[in-house]
Amino acid sequence: MTARPGGIHTNGRRIAGHVIPDGAADLFHAAYQPAPDAATLRRARGWAVIRALVGLHVGDAGVHGRPGGKAPWGPPAHAALRRLIATTQH
């Protein structure tokens, strides 16, 4: 995996090093000790949503040729939002 300018890695799974790939969240939470409390998890989800929305914005700008846009950021951001929505507790 080779880093490119802007934090995108060639495998396309990370945006600025903050998006966890599919299937890795359980491993991450299992390795994180002590276990985070509910408030910490809510804050982490909030940060993940913000980062994914920024990734969508940057990706859209890249698709449309706007300054600062990076089209490869879109797909990982979409995937991150799908994972966040799928794991929402009601």
Side-chain angles (χ1 to χ4, degrees), residues 13 19-30 79-80 83 87:
R13 294 201 180 256
V19 175
I20 297 174
D22 286 333
D26 291 335
L27 293 172
F28 174 79
H29 288 292
R83 286 192 301 272
T87 60

Side-chain angles (χ1 to χ4, degrees), residues 4-82:
R4 292 187 193 170
I8 292 288
H9 296 300
T10 55
N11 68 1
R13 294 201 180 256
R14 296 175 64 182
I15 298 173
H18 297 287
V19 175
I20 297 174
D22 286 333
D26 291 335
L27 293 172
F28 174 79
H29 288 292
Y32 191 90
Q33 296 297 327
D37 60 9
T40 300
L41 291 174
R42 278 193 306 273
R43 283 191 301 276
R45 289 180 61 79
W47 276 105
V49 168
I50 290 167
R51 297 231 182 234
L53 291 174
V54 167
L56 287 176
H57 181 71
V58 172
D60 186 62
V63 167
H64 293 96
R66 292 190 294 265
K70 296 174 177 83
W73 285 38
H78 279 280
L81 280 177
R82 278 193 299 275

